[in-house]
């Protein structure tokens, strides 16, 4: 089974780029399922029902998210619906939506790290344990580990090695070069990256970010919708019988 996981889709340029590239990538790599992180899809921060629908029309089948999912409260009822959109599992009880689902034989768990991240979240490691006991008979399990600290993402991958098919890091918007399959069959990459403006800072316009570092004042950031766009993803090959990953490779593109 070939599973594509796409990094944080940033704004309209991100949504447009996945719609443009996915048909060809699906054909070239015989994709069975496409998962994308949508926490930045609406205006660079957050997700709305219409931007989620646009991602589904582009060929995404499951949307994961992270700390920015709460930006627009119109998404709250959508998270509570049957739509295959996840929020991080380890928010305190009572948060809208759910943190794992099973879709066409593939389970997806969305976790959020706690190191250098906002909020007082529950333990993602224990959260993963709980999800795995409740996941039913899905042998293929993909984890989106939305976190800032590289160490926390690596710790999660080694903690879950042999128990899930893949642990894929997201949130930093920067792709890392360490994609590999761990000894017990869990594919891992520290960060998958983003789909967003190349000549930006993490998908947002550069100057306000530079100014914020210089003057230390609260600053409003704007999604960069100009110029070339990078598309970062990983292709995970999974043996359907065992649920073990047999390969992981980066699929990165740039479009003008
Ligand atoms: Fe993000
Ligand atoms: Fe994030």
């Amino acid at each position: 089974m070939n599973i594509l996981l796409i990094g944080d889709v940033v704004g309209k340029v991100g949504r447009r780029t996945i719609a443009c590239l996915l048909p060809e990538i699906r054909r070239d790599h015989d994709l069975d399922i496409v998962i994308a992180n949508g926490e930045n899809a609406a205006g660079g921060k957050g997700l709305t029902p219409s931007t989620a629908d646009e991602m589904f029309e582009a060929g995404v089948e499951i949307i994961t998210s992270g700390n920015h999912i709460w930006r627009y409260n119109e998404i709250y009822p959508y998270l509570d619906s049957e739509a295959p959109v996840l929020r991080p599992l380890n928010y305190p009880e009572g948060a809208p939506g759910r943190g794992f689902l099973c879709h066409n034989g593939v389970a997806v768990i969305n976790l959020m790290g706690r190191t250098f991240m906002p909020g007082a979240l529950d333990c993602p490691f224990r959260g993963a344990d709980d999800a795995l006991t409740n996941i039913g008979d899905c042998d293929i399990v993909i984890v989106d580990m939305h976190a800032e600290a590289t160490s926390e993402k690596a710790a999660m991958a080694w903690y879950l090695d042999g128990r899930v098919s893949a642990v894929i890091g997201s949130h930093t918007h920067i792709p890392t070069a360490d994609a590999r399959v761990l000894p017990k069959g869990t594919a891992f990459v520290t960060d998958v990256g983003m789909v967003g403006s190349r000549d930006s800072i993490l998908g947002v316009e550069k100057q306000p970010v530079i100014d914020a570092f210089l003057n230390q004042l609260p600053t409003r950031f704007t999604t960069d919708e100009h110029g070339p766009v990078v598309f970062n993803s990983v292709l995970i090959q999974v043996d359907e019988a065992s649920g073990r990953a047999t390969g992981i490779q980066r699929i990165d593109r740039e479009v003008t």
Side-chain angles (χ1 to χ4, degrees):
M1 183 174 257
N2 296 318
I3 300 167
L4 191 76
L5 200 145
I6 303 170
D8 299 26
V9 177
V10 185
K12 195 187 287 177
V13 290
R15 303 195 308 271
R16 220 186 290 140
T17 301
I18 55 171
C20 157
L21 292 180
L22 261 182
E24 184 191 319
I25 295 174
R26 185 180 283 278
R27 217 171 33 242
D28 289 352
H29 297 282
D30 198 17
L31 299 180
D32 294 294
I33 192 154
V34 177
I35 304 162
N37 190 302
E39 74 151 4
N40 303 102
K45 242 185 206 180
L47 182 71
T48 58
S50 64
T51 49
D53 289 342
E54 200 180 319
M55 290 175 68
F56 290 133
E57 274 161 37
V60 173
E61 283 143 290
I62 299 169
I63 299 175
T64 57
S65 66
N67 49 303
H68 292 309
I69 188 64
W70 313 111
R71 171 83 171 205
Y72 300 106
N73 49 20
E74 61 197 276
I75 199 68
Y76 291 18
Y78 199 86
L79 292 172
D80 278 328
S81 77
E82 289 300 302
V85 180
L86 295 176
R87 49 83 170 164
L89 175 87
N90 49 318
Y91 273 90
E93 214 176 308
R98 64 205 192 284
F100 72 88
L101 57 72
C102 206
H103 184 87
N104 294 340
V106 175
V108 179
I109 303 174
N110 196 176
L111 301 170
M112 198 162 116
R114 296 188 293 186
T115 307
F116 312 129
M117 293 292 279
L121 298 188
D122 297 339
C123 174
F125 295 85
R126 294 177 179 89
D129 288 338
D130 288 347
L132 288 172
T133 59
N134 291 315
I135 226 141
D137 49 10
C138 263
D139 289 323
I140 300 170
V141 183
I142 307 294
V143 175
D144 178 343
M145 175 61 176
H146 195 79
E148 182 74 36
T150 50
S151 58
E152 195 173 13
K153 295 191 242 194
M156 184 62 76
W158 284 100
Y159 183 67
L160 296 177
D161 185 23
R163 297 198 282 155
V164 303
S165 312
V167 174
I168 306 300
S170 64
H171 175 69
T172 72
H173 295 200
I174 300 298
T176 60
D178 59 339
R180 60 177 287 206
V181 178
L182 301 184
K184 293 179 184 166
T186 295
F188 171 55
V189 68
T190 298
D191 208 293
V192 56
M194 71 166 177
V195 184
S197 169
R198 184 194 66 184
D199 297 331
S200 68
I201 296 176
L202 313 184
V204 306
E205 287 182 4
K206 297 182 287 295
Q207 197 55 51
V209 179
I210 295 167
D211 290 344
F213 279 108
L214 286 170
N215 61 30
Q216 298 298 312
L217 299 176
T219 308
R220 197 179 171 83
F221 299 134
T222 313
T223 308
D224 194 332
E225 302 279 359
H226 312 98
V229 179
V230 291
F231 172 96
N232 300 138
S233 67
V234 285
L235 174 65
I236 308 149
Q237 278 113 10
V238 181
D239 172 57
E240 282 178 64
S242 65
R244 290 167 70 110
T246 54
I248 177 169
Q249 66 185 95
R250 298 207 58 92
I251 307 275
D252 297 316
R253 298 270 191 281
E254 195 174 300
V255 295
T256 47

